Amino acid sequence: MKFVIEHLEPDVFDWCLIEYNHISSIVGKENLIFTNVKKGKEKLKGLGEVKGESVSKLNLKNACVLDPEAEKTLNPADKKFDYLIFGGILGDYPPRKRTKVELSSKLKCEIRNLGKEQMATNTAVYVAKKIIDGKNLNEFEFKDEIKIDIKEGESVILPFRYVIENGEIVLAKGFIEFLKKRKGF
Ligand SMILES: C[S@@+](CC[C@H](N)C(=O)[O-])C[C@H]1O[C@@H](n2cnc3c(N)ncnc32)[C@H](O)[C@@H]1O
C-alpha cells in the first residue's frame, strides 16, 4: 500500500512540512509519494518520493481517494487498494470541500471517508493507516475541536477532529511549538 499526498497549496509552508514529516514517520518514506509539488520540492527530500505532476496524470490503478464527502467509510477490507490518496490541504472552517473539487471529482477511482468530521492531513493518514492495519473507525477515541494554550491569556482553538491515544492528543512533532511561534499560516 502506497500513500499519496496530492499537495494542493502554493508552497511547502512550514505547517505542511510539520504534517508531512509526521506522515512520513507514520507510513514510512518508502510508502509515501508527494505529487503536484511545484515549488519547494527540496524541502521534502528524505520524506518520500516527490513528483511535480499531479496524481491525475499518473493514471494510478486500484486507488482510493480519502474525502470527507464520500458515502462509504474506509474499513479494514480496503487494504485491497494499492494507493490511498489524500489532499495536502490546510483545514478550513467551514470546509470548502476542496478534496471533492480538486481530487475526487477529477479522478476515476473509489472514494472513502473517515467519518464526516474534518481532520488535518496527518491525522487522516494516521487513522487510515490504523484502519487498513485492522482497526475500525468506531474503535477510535476522537476529540472534535481542541484548544492549545499559546502563552498566558492566549490560546488557539482548532475546530478539527483529533485522535486521542493513551489519553494524549496525537499531534505532529513540533506542531505546538510552531503554533506558539507563528504570526499567521
Ligand atoms: C484538512 S483536510 C482538507 C479539508 C478541506 N476543507 C476539504 O473539505 O476537503 C486534508 C485531507 O485529509 C483527508 N481527510 C481529512 N478528514 C477526512 C475525513 N473525515 N474523511 C476522509 N478524508 C479526510 C482528505 O484527504 C483531505 O483532503
Side-chain angles (χ1 to χ4, degrees), residues 67-142:
D67 182 348
E69 295 293 309
E71 281 181 14
K72 286 192 193 165
T73 299
L74 191 76
N75 72 82
D78 289 327
K79 64 173 189 256
K80 67 182 181 198
F81 292 120
D82 292 323
Y83 299 93
L84 290 186
I85 303 169
F86 301 78
I89 307 174
L90 181 64
D92 44 12
Y93 193 81
R96 284 186 289 153
K97 304 188 181 174
R98 284 181 67 197
T99 313
K100 184 173 183 179
V101 175
E102 301 189 42
L103 265 180
S104 54
S105 62
K106 290 187 180 165
L107 299 178
K108 284 198 174 51
C109 62
E110 298 257 354
I111 310 171
R112 297 285 187 273
N113 69 53
L114 299 164
K116 295 285 172 204
E117 299 299 325
Q118 186 184 177
M119 297 180 240
T121 310
N122 57 317
T123 309
V125 170
Y126 182 90
V127 171
K129 171 81 171 82
K130 296 246 171 202
I131 290 177
I132 57 150
D133 286 346
K135 189 165 173 167
N136 283 295
L137 188 69
N138 60 11
E139 294 171 306
F140 286 84
E141 186 183 346
F142 290 118

Side-chain angles (χ1 to χ4, degrees), residues 18-19 22-23 25-26 120 122-123 126 146-148 158 160-165 168-177 179:
I18 289 170
E19 290 194 8
H22 190 206
I23 291 171
S25 72
I26 295 164
N122 57 317
T123 309
Y126 182 90
I146 60 170
K147 184 172 156 216
I148 308 270
L158 300 169
F160 308 114
R161 171 165 278 194
Y162 290 88
V163 176
I164 308 290
E165 202 133 283
E168 303 265 329
I169 307 166
V170 176
L171 291 174
K173 194 162 156 246
F175 182 63
I176 293 191
E177 293 73 13
L179 287 178

Side-chain angles (χ1 to χ4, degrees), residues 143-162:
K143 190 162 169 47
D144 298 337
E145 188 173 291
I146 60 170
K147 184 172 156 216
I148 308 270
D149 292 326
I150 300 295
K151 57 182 176 195
E152 183 103 24
E154 190 183 333
S155 56
V156 57
I157 305 265
L158 300 169
F160 308 114
R161 171 165 278 194
Y162 290 88

